[in-house]
Amino acid sequence: MQQTTAIHMLESLASGIRLDIYRLLVKHISAGLVAGDIAQQLELPATNLSFHLKNMTQAGLLSVTQQGRYQRYRANLPQMLALIGYLTEECCGGEASACLDFSSLMYCAGQQCDTPAQTISET
Amino acid sequence: MQQTTAIHMLESLASGIRLDIYRLLVKHISAGLVAGDIAQQLELPATNLSFHLKNMTQAGLLSVTQQGRYQRYRANLPQMLALIGYLTEECCGGEASACLDFSSLMYCAGQQCDTPAQTISET
DNA sequence: GCATTAATTCAAGATTTGTTGTAGTATTGA
DNA sequence: TCAATACTACAACAAATCTTGAATTAATGC
C-alpha cells in the first residue's frame, strides 16, 4: 500500500460521521445499504451524507453499485486489512506473528462474508 | 473504545509525517526511539517533530518515558488493536471470525514484543 | 410526457489544522 | 555556576475541511 492511499483512508475515517457510516456498513457487510437508508439511520441531511460517501468511496473505504436510482454502498474490508498491514508492517523486525494476539478481538475481514448480516441492533 | 478516542487516533495517523513516525516506531517496537533519533531518521526540524509527537501521544498512539534529558517514544500497539476492533465491530452480525483471513498479513500486536527489533532498514 | 423520488454537484462561510521562528524549560558535565 | 544539549511551548499566518442551501442529474411510475 502506498502512503498516500493510507493517508486518504485515515483522513476519511477521522470524522465522527464517516466513522459512524463505516461502522454501520460493517454491520451490513454483505448486503450493504443504499444512501437513503444510511441517511435515515444516522439522521443526516442527504446533501451532507452524499459529501461524506463520496469522500469515503474515493478513499477506497467503500464500494458502490447502482441499482436503478439507488446507490448501494458497502464497506471495503480487504482494503481495511491492507491498511492494517501497512500500519503494522515490519513489526518485530519482520517476525510479525511472533507477538500476535488477536484472540480477544472481534473482527471480520478477508473477502465479503458469506453469512448475511441482517440483525441490526445499534443502540 | 469511545468514538472520540478512535477519531483522535485516526486524525493523528492521517498525516504523512505522523504515519512515518508511527511506522518507524513500529519497527522499533521494543526499544522505541528518542526524539532526536526520530528527527534524524526522518529529517525533521525538532520543533515540528515535537508538535507531531505530542499530537500522537495525546491520541494514545505513542507512549513516552523520560530518560534523563531524553524522551523515549514507543508505539502503543494494544491501543492500535483496540482501534481495529472498534472499526470491525459487529461484522457479520457478531460472528466476526466467520470470515477472518489474516494469513497474508504482517502484523505485530498484543503486548510489546519480547524479541527486540534492532535491524533498521528503511529505504 | 410529466411529476415524484433518489442522489449528487456547486458555492460560501466558519472552523480547524500544519508549519515556522522565537523563546522557554530541564538535564548534563565541567 | 555556567555553557551546551534535548526537547517543548507559544504566536501567527497559510492552507485545508465541514456544513448548509439551492440547483442539477437520473430513474421510476402514471
Side-chain angles (χ1 to χ4, degrees):
Chain A
M1 173 173 288
Q2 291 201 338
Q3 198 208 41
T4 52
T5 308
I7 292 175
H8 289 148
M9 291 182 72
L10 292 163
E11 267 178 349
S12 189
L13 278 174
S15 139
I17 290 179
R18 293 194 290 263
L19 205 43
D20 286 344
I21 294 171
Y22 187 81
R23 281 161 44 89
L24 179 61
L25 287 175
V26 163
K27 291 180 192 167
H28 299 262
I29 192 64
S30 56
L33 290 174
V34 298
D37 289 344
I38 301 173
Q40 197 175 5
Q41 294 208 37
L42 301 183
E43 298 179 20
L44 286 171
T47 301
N48 197 13
L49 175 64
S50 188
F51 170 82
H52 290 295
L53 287 176
K54 183 183 176 186
N55 180 300
M56 298 175 78
T57 305
Q58 287 180 337
L61 287 169
L62 307 184
S63 63
V64 198
T65 52
Q66 182 155 6
Q67 295 185 328
R69 52 180 162 177
Y70 297 88
Q71 300 285 328
R72 183 164 295 272
Y73 288 89
R74 286 186 177 83
N76 186 351
L77 280 180
Q79 186 70 0
M80 175 59 68
L81 274 187
L83 174 63
I84 295 170
Y86 180 79
L87 288 173
T88 57
E89 215 170 39
E90 291 192 48
C91 183
C92 298
E95 283 293 337
S97 57
C99 46
L100 199 65
D101 177 19
F102 283 116
S103 56
S104 60
L105 292 179
M106 301 286 275
Y107 279 176
C108 181
Q111 316 306 354
Q112 299 295 66
C113 295
D114 14 13
T115 56
Q118 272 130 348
T119 52
I120 313 143
S121 59
E122 61 269 25
T123 48
Chain B
M1 172 173 288
Q2 291 200 339
Q3 198 210 39
T4 53
T5 307
I7 292 174
H8 288 149
M9 291 181 72
L10 292 163
E11 265 177 349
S12 190
L13 278 173
S15 139
I17 290 179
R18 293 194 290 262
L19 206 42
D20 286 344
I21 294 171
Y22 188 80
R23 281 160 44 89
L24 178 60
L25 287 174
V26 163
K27 291 180 192 167
H28 299 262
I29 192 62
S30 57
L33 290 173
V34 299
D37 289 344
I38 301 173
Q40 196 174 8
Q41 294 209 35
L42 301 183
E43 297 179 20
L44 286 171
T47 302
N48 197 12
L49 175 64
S50 187
F51 169 82
H52 290 295
L53 287 175
K54 182 184 177 186
N55 180 302
M56 298 176 77
T57 305
Q58 287 179 339
L61 287 169
L62 308 183
S63 63
V64 198
T65 53
Q66 182 156 5
Q67 294 185 331
R69 51 181 160 178
Y70 296 88
Q71 300 286 327
R72 183 165 294 273
Y73 289 89
R74 287 187 177 83
N76 185 350
L77 280 179
Q79 187 69 0
M80 175 58 70
L81 274 187
L83 174 62
I84 295 170
Y86 180 79
L87 288 173
T88 57
E89 215 169 39
E90 292 191 49
C91 183
C92 298
E95 282 293 337
S97 57
C99 44
L100 198 66
D101 177 20
F102 283 115
S103 56
S104 60
L105 292 178
M106 301 287 274
Y107 281 175
C108 182
Q111 315 307 354
Q112 300 295 65
C113 295
D114 13 13
T115 57
Q118 272 134 343
T119 52
I120 313 142
S121 60
E122 58 269 24
T123 49

